Amino acid sequence: MFTGIIESLATIKSIAKDQGNIHLTIQSSITSELKIDQSVAHNGICLTVVSIKNDTYTVTAIHETIVKTTIGSWEVGDVVNIERAMQLGDRLDGHIVQGHVDQVGICKNVEQQDGSWFFTFGYDKALNNITIEKGSITINGTSLTVVDSREDQFSVAIIPYTYEHTNFHTFKEGTQVNLEFDVIGKYVTRLYGLRG
């Protein structure tokens, strides 16, 4: 369980394919605080730390994760948002995030507006995910509030701190991102569908 409040940016140092899996070695300022078997969200994808060496650690992604997220397109040198799992008793500053990506979205527009940024993202409505105005959305692991919710797209407003301290500053039109829709909204949608 995560909150969507990004702790740090990390850099991918190496990628190794192993049959249907990939092993990613990542350099981070919080590596010394990690432990093997710990869950860490990488651009919103929950992955388990399998080894630690100096200032780098390694995680493994299985085929299911590779085909349902952006991880298969990551390259050495890419910068990713990371967050460790929340601890019981911590403040929930973002919202409840599972680290399970629902689908990949695409950045459709980036607009600077008086010191902040306005990003618009599109997604495939056929997968039955929804957003609501002022509801929560997780983009690359970052907890944000939806504005301008539509059937197949939505927008978010980004303050300068978030822009600089997450990988939002690397986004441009066409950038693919991991989307996790609000877990409460997903349950409500599922129950509504079951009851007709």
Side-chain angles (χ1 to χ4, degrees), residues 124-140:
D124 182 0
K125 66 180 182 180
L127 296 178
N128 295 320
N129 290 306
I130 62 166
T131 61
I132 61 168
E133 203 80 17
K134 303 293 188 287
S136 296
I137 185 75
T138 307
I139 304 170
N140 273 7

Side-chain angles (χ1 to χ4, degrees), residues 24-124:
L24 300 104
T25 299
I26 296 168
Q27 185 178 48
S28 166
S29 61
I30 65 169
T31 298
S32 63
E33 302 172 44
L34 300 179
K35 297 177 182 176
I36 291 174
D37 288 336
Q38 190 168 9
S39 294
V40 179
H42 301 76
N43 276 1
I45 307 165
C46 180
L47 299 168
T48 302
V49 176
V50 297
S51 70
I52 300 171
K53 185 176 181 182
N54 300 322
D55 65 344
T56 65
Y57 65 94
T58 301
V59 293
T60 301
I62 62 172
H63 179 72
E64 175 81 1
T65 303
I66 297 166
V67 299
K68 291 192 173 179
T69 69
T70 62
I71 202 167
S73 65
W74 294 1
E75 298 178 349
V76 171
D78 282 354
V79 175
V80 295
N81 299 324
I82 60 171
E83 178 194 359
R84 288 172 287 179
M86 66 181 295
Q87 298 178 359
L88 288 176
D90 279 356
R91 290 184 178 90
L92 184 58
D93 290 323
H95 72 281
I96 297 172
V97 176
Q98 295 180 296
H100 303 155
V101 174
D102 293 306
Q103 67 184 95
V104 172
I106 188 165
C107 183
K108 299 182 75 171
N109 189 53
V110 181
E111 183 181 348
Q112 189 170 4
Q113 293 186 342
D114 297 324
S116 61
W117 286 263
F118 199 76
F119 290 81
T120 300
F121 297 92
Y123 62 94
D124 182 0

